[in-house]
């Protein structure tokens, strides 16, 4: 007869090898078991536990079993707590051209290879402003914009290994899978994963955001204009825990894009002459990169002269306003330099300005780098003869940086005071003031507005 069947069904019954280590104790065990019933606890006779060793072994087994059961229970509860729906505030754009609406949204748990992040600070980039007005993508609404941000990991999905809960991280809109031909090529950074999923959706073709029962698109699969967001692991990188997130969030896009265009894409040389068209966050960062590379002359070009002082503070040797001249700006620059510009940068996203920047390059081996974002299918018209003598026209994406690999290093350089981000940040507002930030940027009264979503 199996004595366990007559014992309390709600209590596991453990028999160690040492408890029944002799045939005699085993027979005694069977005799005791016959006296057990459902309402009486099972007693182990002194002969069963006739040695101190076997008694202690029994206790160890029982304690171990209880502890194991408790740990499994606690682990299950912890998993349930970590993977729940979060309700929070986000700035939603319901239709192109409309003001942002601060709404309560539901943020789903991260799936495999995804990370849910509490966004602490996010910058309002010029690309977000252009996207806000872009009627060509009216089918991708409602949407949560924002791609320049930093935060703290709230939870991670299955298989995530590069970050963990509690880590400070930087969001990178350009992923780095580490496996595609672009990631394995030291000369490029445009990871193929950027175009693998549906526009403004996660890898599985769905969104992690809902609002008022509707699915909400995720711009660049980042959506940093929200207190919480879910991001692919390949688009987030752990950073120095000491880093001030309200500052280093600019490295997530604006600063790295401009600075890298100078030092990585153009490879500005010592003693050269540079011209930067557009003195926003990206353009000013280009100037900082040109200065770091040793350029002798750096000319800032913008129609907003209020930006000239900041441009000179970060390294421009002089600034000009095209509206002050009758001649085309390219002719003005040739007159100023006698030979044209060695390195030109367009950081606006205007086809006419792109053509003027290219025409400003010195004819033998001048380099023009296009950085400014334009809507899809925007044509660029240039004089083909300008190419014949040796000029080159290049594009730059994310400053040529490998996103996950280089961003933590750039932040370490900032912490080591190798460059200063303060001149680029003119306004710091809370997320619910995002429409005020938009007006500041549109009217040219600021360089970069940083929005605080969840204070660190």
């Amino acid at each position: 007869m199996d004595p366990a069947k007559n014992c309390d069904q709600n209590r596991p019954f453990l028999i160690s090898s040492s408890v029944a280590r002799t045939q005699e104790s085993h027979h005694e065990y069977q005799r005791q078991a016959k006296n057990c019933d459902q309402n009486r606890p099972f007693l182990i006779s002194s002969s069963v536990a006739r040695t101190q060793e076997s008694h202690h072994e029994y206790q160890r087994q029982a304690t171990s079993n209880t502890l194991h059961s408790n740990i499994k229970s606690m682990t299950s509860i912890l998993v349930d707590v970590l993977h729940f729906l979060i309700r929070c505030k986000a700035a939603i754009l319901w239709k192109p051209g409309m003001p942002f609406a601060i709404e309560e949204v539901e943020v789903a748990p991260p799936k495999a290879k995804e990370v849910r992040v509490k966004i602490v600070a996010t910058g309002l980039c010029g690309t977000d402003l252009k996207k806000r007005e872009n009627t060509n993508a009216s089918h991708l609404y409602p949407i949560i914009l924002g791609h320049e941000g930093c935060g703290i990991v709230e939870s991670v999905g299955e298989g995530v290994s590069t970050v963990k809960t509690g880590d400070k991280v930087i969001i990178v809109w350009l992923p780095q899978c580490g496996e595609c031909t672009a990631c394995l090529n030291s000369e490029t950074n445009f990871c193929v994963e950027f175009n693998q999923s549906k526009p403004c959706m996660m890898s599985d073709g769905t969104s992690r955001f809902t609002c008022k029962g509707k699915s909400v698109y995720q711009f660049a699969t980042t959506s940093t204009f929200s207190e919480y967001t879910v991001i692919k692991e390949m688009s987030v990188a752990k950073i120095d825990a000491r880093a001030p997130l309200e500052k280093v969030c600019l490295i997530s896009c604006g600063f790295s894009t401009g600075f890298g265009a100078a030092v990585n894409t153009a490879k500005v040389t010592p003693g050269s002459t540079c011209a930067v068209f557009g003195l926003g966050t990206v353009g000013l960062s280009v100037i900082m990169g040109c200065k770091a590379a040793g350029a002798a002359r750096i000319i800032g070009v913008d129609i907003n002269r209020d930006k000239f002082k900041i441009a000179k503070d970060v390294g421009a040797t002089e600034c000009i306003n095209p509206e002050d001249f009758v001649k085309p700006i390219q002719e003005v620059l040739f007159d100023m330099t006698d030979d044209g510009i060695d390195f030109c940068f367009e950081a606006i996203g205007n086809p006419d300005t792109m053509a003027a920047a290219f025409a400003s390059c010195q004819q033998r081996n001048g380099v023009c780098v296009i950085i400014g974002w334009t809507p899809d299918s925007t044509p660029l018209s240039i004089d083909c003869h300008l190419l014949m003598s040796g000029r080159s026209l290049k594009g730059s994406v994310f400053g040529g940086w490998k996103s996950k690999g280089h961003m933590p290093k750039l932040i370490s350089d900032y912490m080591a005071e190798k460059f200063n981000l303060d001149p680029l940040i003119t306004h710091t507002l809370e997320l619910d003031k995002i429409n005020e930030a938009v007006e500041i940027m549109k009217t040219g009264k600021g360089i970069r507005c940083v929005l605080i979503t969840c204070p660190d």
Side-chain angles (χ1 to χ4, degrees):
M1 178 177 114
D2 185 357
K5 291 182 179 179
N6 292 326
C7 293
D8 185 353
Q9 300 294 321
N10 297 318
R11 185 164 67 94
F13 188 74
L14 299 176
I15 304 174
S16 72
S17 58
S18 60
V19 172
R21 69 170 50 177
T22 66
Q23 186 68 29
E24 178 183 354
S25 60
H26 176 64
H27 291 162
E28 179 65 14
Y29 163 78
Q30 286 185 313
R31 288 194 295 273
Q32 292 287 341
K34 290 180 180 179
N35 296 323
C36 178
D37 59 32
Q38 298 295 328
N39 300 315
R40 188 163 61 88
F42 184 68
L43 301 176
I44 301 176
S45 72
S46 60
S47 62
V48 173
R50 62 173 56 187
T51 66
Q52 190 67 25
E53 178 184 358
S54 60
H55 176 65
H56 289 166
E57 179 66 13
Y58 174 81
Q59 287 185 316
R60 283 194 297 271
Q61 293 273 350
T63 302
S64 175
N65 185 67
T66 301
L67 182 60
H68 179 69
S69 177
N70 288 342
I71 289 174
K72 285 185 66 177
S73 177
M74 290 172 65
T75 301
S76 177
I77 293 172
L78 184 59
V79 170
D80 289 342
V81 169
L82 289 176
H83 293 82
F84 62 93
L85 195 73
I86 287 180
R87 289 183 173 84
C88 67
K89 288 194 303 182
I92 291 186
L93 194 62
W94 290 98
K95 291 182 179 180
M98 289 183 63
F100 288 98
I102 302 299
E103 306 276 12
E104 182 181 79
V105 298
E106 295 81 35
V107 187
K111 295 187 179 181
K113 293 293 184 177
E114 295 178 356
V115 181
R116 188 160 60 183
V117 177
K118 180 179 81 169
I119 298 296
V120 173
T122 178
L124 179 60
C125 179
T127 301
D128 295 308
L129 297 182
K130 290 180 180 179
K131 179 67 177 177
R132 177 177 172 268
E133 305 294 336
N134 184 17
T135 56
N136 292 332
S138 58
H139 60 290
L140 299 177
Y141 290 84
I143 192 169
I144 298 175
L145 299 179
H147 60 282
E148 182 183 83
C150 286
I152 300 170
V153 175
E154 179 272 334
S155 60
V156 299
E158 181 182 355
V160 172
S161 60
T162 59
V163 296
K164 64 182 184 303
T165 299
D167 284 347
K168 279 189 175 182
V169 293
I170 187 168
I171 310 304
V172 286
W173 61 267
L174 182 65
Q176 184 183 348
C177 72
E179 299 175 351
C180 70
T181 54
C183 287
L184 296 177
N185 186 337
S186 61
E187 298 301 316
T188 185
N189 65 341
F190 199 72
C191 177
V192 299
E193 286 292 330
F194 181 76
N195 291 320
Q196 289 302 301
S197 57
K198 293 181 180 179
C200 300
M201 289 289 190
M202 300 299 282
S203 297
D204 63 357
T206 65
S207 171
R208 302 294 170 266
F209 287 94
T210 54
C211 180
K212 300 179 180 178
K214 293 183 178 180
S215 179
V216 180
Y217 286 96
Q218 295 181 241
F219 179 59
T221 66
T222 53
S223 292
T224 58
F225 292 166
S226 174
E227 292 177 330
Y228 287 83
T229 189
V230 176
I231 303 167
K232 300 174 186 178
E233 182 186 13
M234 66 182 73
S235 294
V236 64
K238 181 180 178 180
I239 61 174
D240 190 332
R242 302 168 300 156
L245 303 186
E246 72 281 4
K247 306 284 188 182
V248 300
C249 63
L250 267 66
I251 295 175
S252 176
C253 180
F255 173 79
S256 55
T257 296
F259 192 86
V263 301
N264 295 329
T265 308
K267 294 181 171 59
V268 170
T269 55
S272 60
T273 298
C274 302
V276 181
F277 289 71
L279 301 179
T281 302
V282 174
L284 294 174
S285 299
V286 172
I287 291 174
M288 295 167 71
C290 292
K291 181 181 179 181
R297 192 174 183 184
I298 306 172
I299 304 170
V301 182
D302 202 294
I303 60 174
N304 184 351
R305 62 181 65 255
D306 291 341
K307 296 180 179 181
F308 290 176
K309 181 182 183 306
I310 297 178
K312 291 178 180 179
D313 288 344
V314 299
T317 55
E318 56 210 289
C319 295
I320 58 175
N321 183 344
E323 294 180 343
D324 292 341
F325 303 92
V326 176
K327 290 182 178 181
I329 191 63
Q330 56 265 37
E331 293 184 21
V332 173
L333 289 169
F334 260 88
D335 290 344
M336 291 175 65
T337 59
D338 295 327
D339 194 29
I341 306 296
D342 297 318
F343 299 96
C344 283
F345 301 86
E346 203 279 353
I348 302 170
N350 183 313
D352 293 335
T353 314
M354 292 176 183
F358 182 57
S360 301
C361 292
Q362 52 98 340
Q363 62 181 351
R364 293 176 304 281
N365 59 348
V367 177
C368 179
V369 179
I370 305 300
I371 314 167
W373 181 86
T374 58
D376 293 345
S377 303
T378 301
L380 174 62
S381 177
I382 60 172
D383 183 348
C384 295
H385 287 281
L386 295 176
L387 292 164
M388 300 305 176
S389 59
R391 293 179 179 90
S392 60
L393 181 65
K394 306 177 75 172
S396 182
V397 58
F398 204 56
W401 305 105
K402 300 284 190 182
S403 54
K404 280 176 68 72
H406 284 136
M407 292 307 98
K409 175 62 167 59
L410 276 178
I411 289 177
S412 295
D413 287 347
Y414 169 78
M415 297 298 290
E417 300 182 352
K418 293 185 179 180
F419 55 84
N420 183 15
L421 297 172
D422 288 351
L424 307 179
I425 303 171
T426 54
H427 297 78
T428 301
L429 304 169
E430 295 183 357
L431 179 63
D432 58 6
K433 301 291 185 183
I434 187 170
N435 290 313
E436 181 179 329
V438 169
E439 289 306 308
I440 291 171
M441 297 287 287
K442 286 178 64 177
T443 55
K445 296 178 180 178
I447 303 298
R448 184 61 109 230
C449 291
V450 171
L451 302 171
I452 304 300
T453 51
C454 294
D456 184 5

